[in-house]
Amino acid sequence: TMPLKSAFTTSFGTEVDKDALLLAVHAQLRGPGGDLIDTVGWRECVAMEDPLYSSEYLTGAVEVTKRFLLPLLFAAGDLLTSELVGPLLAPIVGHRMAKAAVEMAVLDAELRARGVSFAEHLGAVRDRVPCGVSVGIQDSIPQLLDTVGGYLAQGYLRIKLNIRPGWDIAPGRAVRGGAAPGLRGRQALVAGVPGGRLGPARNVTRPGGTWQGKAGPAESSTLATATRTLPLTGLALARA
């Protein structure tokens, strides 16, 4: 369990720490010089502890990974590569977060053996990208403005506000008004809640502009393109 730097409140409740599921892939691969080297690939499963935001959750991810996903990989033997993980796991319906964790851990092992970064593997042309931040529900409007102002000062280009019934129009209006100079040229998004005034994946027009409702989590994409064989020597699951 990892404690959060500050409490994070959404319509689902308040989180003060995070349970993480880490997957480690141990393998022997040939490095750039052709010698076999022991390597370990790591990936965190993005499933949350409880199935409140999506259908997947940590304990379920552990079970499906141990019982179904890993045996399929071991059955492939020395022919396994990261690009084969997706097809090998295709017979298992759903569980995209668990599948993505396995696939990315295998890919990470390959890239580490080759001395190639994930960005280089994907053809990135820069070492930094603009990013945004999700702001939890605050106790008051002044506290919200202080929090948003702090994130803007750190250089975040997108501010996403979490809302719930009764905490929606007023905080959005306050941020767009009170923090307008800092938000100029940046995005201000509002995350809707199922069953609330603003449903997911809807655009909601409010004074001062259009706020975007938050869609559900995107499905995992198969990013692996490496073609090296990957003889697995072991896999490990750990709750951190």
mmCIF file of all heavy atoms in Angstrom, residues 55 68 109 117:
data_model
loop_
_atom_site.group_PDB
_atom_site.id
_atom_site.type_symbol
_atom_site.label_atom_id
_atom_site.label_comp_id
_atom_site.label_asym_id
_atom_site.label_seq_id
_atom_site.Cartn_x
_atom_site.Cartn_y
_atom_site.Cartn_z
ATOM 1 N N SER A 55 -15.185 -2.575 -14.356
ATOM 2 C CA SER A 55 -15.537 -3.922 -13.894
ATOM 3 C C SER A 55 -14.341 -4.668 -13.322
ATOM 4 O O SER A 55 -14.512 -5.634 -12.566
ATOM 5 C CB SER A 55 -16.143 -4.729 -15.053
ATOM 6 O OG SER A 55 -15.223 -4.844 -16.121
ATOM 7 N N PHE A 68 -5.285 -17.941 -15.522
ATOM 8 C CA PHE A 68 -5.538 -18.063 -16.955
ATOM 9 C C PHE A 68 -4.454 -17.462 -17.843
ATOM 10 O O PHE A 68 -4.025 -18.084 -18.820
ATOM 11 C CB PHE A 68 -6.893 -17.422 -17.306
ATOM 12 C CG PHE A 68 -8.062 -18.079 -16.649
ATOM 13 C CD1 PHE A 68 -8.688 -17.484 -15.563
ATOM 14 C CD2 PHE A 68 -8.542 -19.301 -17.097
ATOM 15 C CE1 PHE A 68 -9.767 -18.088 -14.944
ATOM 16 C CE2 PHE A 68 -9.628 -19.919 -16.492
ATOM 17 C CZ PHE A 68 -10.239 -19.313 -15.403
ATOM 18 N N ALA A 109 10.645 -6.211 -20.490
ATOM 19 C CA ALA A 109 11.803 -7.103 -20.391
ATOM 20 C C ALA A 109 12.601 -7.095 -21.691
ATOM 21 O O ALA A 109 13.843 -7.039 -21.679
ATOM 22 C CB ALA A 109 11.339 -8.524 -20.055
ATOM 23 N N SER A 117 14.618 2.463 -24.695
ATOM 24 C CA SER A 117 13.555 3.019 -23.865
ATOM 25 C C SER A 117 12.202 2.801 -24.526
ATOM 26 O O SER A 117 12.105 2.577 -25.737
ATOM 27 C CB SER A 117 13.773 4.516 -23.642
ATOM 28 O OG SER A 117 13.544 5.241 -24.848
#
